[in-house]
Amino acid sequence: PTSGVRVVHDDGEGALGGILLGMKESTLDLLVVLAVDLPLVRSSSIVALTRECEATSAGVVAAFAATVGRQPLFSVWNRRLVGDELESAWLSGQRSPSRWLAGRRDARWSPVDPEQLTNVNEPADLSRIGNLGSS
């Protein structure tokens, strides 16, 4: 593709497996992870998390909102800093991004507008999105 985007299909190994596969396939240090069920994430927030990851020694910078909690699937991962440890954890049976990040001192949680962490998992959730901001 002319855009430089390369699609890599995972083997159905879940979110952590997809992150690890992305790291293995990438030649860049930073990997943006964004769950498909977060349609309200703003590009400015992706840029902010990326800049924070670049400017710090964080292995991962992930979004959180006080009213929603932590969202490891809206994050930026530094492949150079965490790739080998993530692969070791995977080989040891770890499958949860949240649990893996919970024990890391180099994980940072960056605040975002809670609206951006609105999950869309069912058709009924779409009507909720339509009503955001109308109250």
Side-chain angles (χ1 to χ4, degrees), residues 14-16 19 32-38 41 49 60-63 70-77 96-98 101 109 117 119:
L16 199 63
I19 294 167
V32 174
V33 172
L34 183 58
V36 298
D37 62 355
L38 296 174
V41 168
L49 265 61
V60 179
V61 175
R70 295 176 171 184
Q71 180 47 272
L73 299 182
F74 174 19
S75 52
V76 178
W77 298 60
S96 169
S98 295
L101 287 172
W109 298 92
L117 301 184
N119 279 37

Side-chain angles (χ1 to χ4, degrees), residues 7-86:
V7 176
V8 177
H9 296 279
D10 67 31
D11 296 328
E13 294 288 347
L16 199 63
I19 294 167
L20 184 58
L21 180 61
M23 285 185 182
K24 287 179 177 181
E25 294 290 327
S26 180
T27 58
L28 302 174
D29 283 344
L30 299 183
L31 181 77
V32 174
V33 172
L34 183 58
V36 298
D37 62 355
L38 296 174
L40 299 180
V41 168
R42 295 183 202 110
S43 59
S44 59
S45 293
I46 295 170
V47 170
L49 265 61
T50 302
R51 287 185 177 152
E52 185 174 349
C53 197
E54 288 175 324
T56 66
S57 58
V60 179
V61 175
F64 89 94
T67 58
V68 180
R70 295 176 171 184
Q71 180 47 272
L73 299 182
F74 174 19
S75 52
V76 178
W77 298 60
N78 187 317
R79 181 177 66 96
R80 186 177 41 81
L81 295 178
V82 301
D84 291 341
E85 292 176 54
L86 182 61

